Amino acid sequence: MATIKDVAKEAGVGVGTASRALSGNGSVSDSARKRIDAAVKKLNFVPNQSARNLKNQSCATIAISVPTIRHPFFAKIIYYAEEYLSRKGVRMLVVNSQDKKSKETEMLEMIRQARVDGIIFITHHVHENIDEGLPIVSVDRHIGGRVPFVTSNNYDASREAMEYLLSRGVKKIGCVCGKTQVESEVRLRYKAYEDCMRERGLPSRLFVADFKHGDEMDVMREYLRNNPDIDGLFTGSDILANAAYYNAFLLGKRVPEDLQIVGFDGVMDEWCPHPKLTTVRQDIEALASAAVDVLFARVQGKEYAQKTVINADLTIGETTK
């Protein structure tokens, strides 16, 4: 990302002159101003008001963009991020993109124009030519080579879940995960499933479903009807696991006697306390606080990790024996 020093060098003026021209404070000759404006346009320079706002905190606003607020994982990310930002004296703007790429693009334009000071950006879409120098941090998604992200230990935690299922005596294990258009750490969940099944010489019954949030019941109904003989199931989310539980009941299957189910996220306790799922429980509070910390470090020019991993743990519930 270009700095004011780059603008000054390109325009052939001093940093002080460039600063006065961009802030509107102090006199700058017309010829210098024209060169500075041309340099700003050429370098796609965005004044770093964000760093000043976050330092002052009282006027800072951080946005969080999620695909939907109806999903309990995203709802909890919002809850903990807002709580953490509030303690820092920073306001939060919530954008519910409703899985629409156009709304996400509008959010990126807001940060480019410095109308917000940073974004925690959770997308389901690929955005071409994204300015990787903008103050953005992602959760799970890879949205650019220089954009940092926070995530759980998806692969290792999913392997632990699969090893546990296999230890319960099941052999015909299915797997259902949601499809993401953008590269995502979430894909490591079903990679762990495939690796475990291949290593044991067991057939994979992976279904990577392309669906909208809210369609989980339909997805699981179709999957269970097409795979009536499975005795184990690993899903990429607790919403899918919960949908599998109720569809199994409707199809005359007993859980866990006939079908053992393991989910991922650990978000259903407050939304649907029964059944208590066996699930990989993510530390969503730690994910949210880490995202905020990385964003602050990035905006303020401090060191930060490109990838921050928060451990998730397998929690045993009522859906496995």
Side-chain angles (χ1 to χ4, degrees):
M1 181 168 63
T3 67
I4 194 169
K5 291 182 180 179
D6 298 323
V7 171
K9 182 178 179 181
E10 178 70 25
V13 300
V15 173
T17 301
S19 179
R20 289 195 303 275
L22 294 171
S23 66
N25 296 322
S27 65
V28 178
S29 69
D30 289 340
S31 61
R33 189 180 299 277
K34 288 179 181 178
R35 294 198 304 275
I36 292 166
D37 289 343
V40 167
K41 185 176 181 180
K42 178 180 178 180
L43 299 174
N44 196 28
F45 173 72
V46 178
N48 193 12
Q49 181 64 33
S50 298
R52 293 192 289 273
N53 284 349
L54 289 180
K55 184 177 180 180
N56 296 332
Q57 294 187 344
S58 60
C59 59
T61 301
I62 296 297
I64 182 168
S65 177
V66 298
T68 175
I69 59 174
R70 294 175 58 192
H71 194 291
F73 174 79
F74 299 132
K76 285 196 170 187
I77 282 283
I78 292 170
Y79 175 86
Y80 287 119
E82 194 282 330
E83 183 179 51
Y84 197 49
L85 286 167
S86 179
R87 292 203 297 266
K88 291 176 173 288
V90 176
R91 297 168 297 187
M92 187 174 80
L93 170 68
V94 177
V95 177
N96 176 27
S97 73
Q98 299 174 324
D99 277 334
K100 296 178 181 177
K101 186 174 182 178
S102 60
K103 293 191 72 171
E104 294 179 353
T105 301
E106 290 174 8
M107 194 72 247
L108 292 172
E109 184 63 17
M110 283 185 67
I111 188 64
R112 195 190 70 79
Q113 296 177 1
R115 286 188 284 160
V116 293
D117 301 300
I119 300 179
I120 300 171
F121 191 55
I122 308 175
T123 176
H124 280 178
H125 300 280
V126 176
H127 293 269
E128 303 293 344
N129 303 318
I130 189 169
D131 184 348
E132 297 177 359
L134 292 175
I136 301 173
V137 63
S138 177
V139 178
D140 287 326
R141 279 64 169 170
H142 302 188
I143 61 173
R146 293 172 50 207
V147 176
F149 62 94
V150 300
T151 189
S152 296
N153 58 331
N154 287 277
Y155 184 83
D156 290 342
S158 297
R159 280 206 68 122
E160 182 182 1
M162 282 298 301
E163 297 286 354
Y164 179 76
L165 259 181
L166 288 160
S167 74
R168 300 296 92 191
V170 295
K171 299 292 184 183
K172 300 175 182 178
I173 305 176
C175 179
V176 179
C177 291
K179 182 179 181 180
T180 59
Q181 295 184 37
V182 64
E183 184 180 354
S184 172
E185 294 287 299
V186 172
R187 298 179 182 182
L188 295 176
R189 299 175 191 176
Y190 57 81
K191 184 180 186 305
Y193 162 82
E194 289 191 300
D195 287 350
C196 285
M197 298 298 278
R198 184 183 64 254
E199 290 165 8
R200 287 163 177 77
L202 299 173
S204 171
R205 300 192 187 197
L206 173 64
F207 180 43
V208 182
D210 188 4
F211 65 93
K212 293 182 178 180
H213 294 295
D215 293 340
E216 288 85 357
M217 284 293 289
D218 293 337
V219 169
M220 292 312 311
R221 184 179 303 111
E222 178 184 359
Y223 182 83
L224 291 177
R225 284 175 175 170
N226 291 337
N227 296 272
D229 61 332
I230 62 170
D231 55 5
L233 179 66
F234 175 55
T235 65
S237 74
D238 280 355
I239 299 291
L240 286 168
N242 198 63
Y245 174 85
Y246 284 103
N247 275 293
F249 173 78
L250 293 174
L251 293 172
K253 288 181 175 290
R254 299 170 301 165
V255 178
E257 292 83 359
D258 303 322
L259 177 64
Q260 300 189 57
I261 303 171
V262 177
F264 200 109
D265 281 335
V267 296
M268 294 303 295
D269 291 352
E270 299 169 10
W271 294 67
C272 185
H274 179 76
K276 182 178 180 181
L277 296 172
T278 295
T279 187
V280 175
R281 185 176 299 276
Q282 299 195 80
D283 190 339
I284 301 175
E285 182 175 3
L287 285 169
S289 63
V292 171
D293 287 342
V294 171
L295 185 59
F296 268 61
R298 189 171 200 211
V299 171
Q300 295 174 343
K302 300 177 182 179
E303 292 186 2
Y304 58 87
Q306 179 67 24
K307 177 180 179 179
T308 301
V309 179
I310 306 296
N311 284 338
D313 299 308
L314 181 65
T315 301
I316 309 305
E318 302 168 350
T319 55
T320 52
K321 295 179 182 178

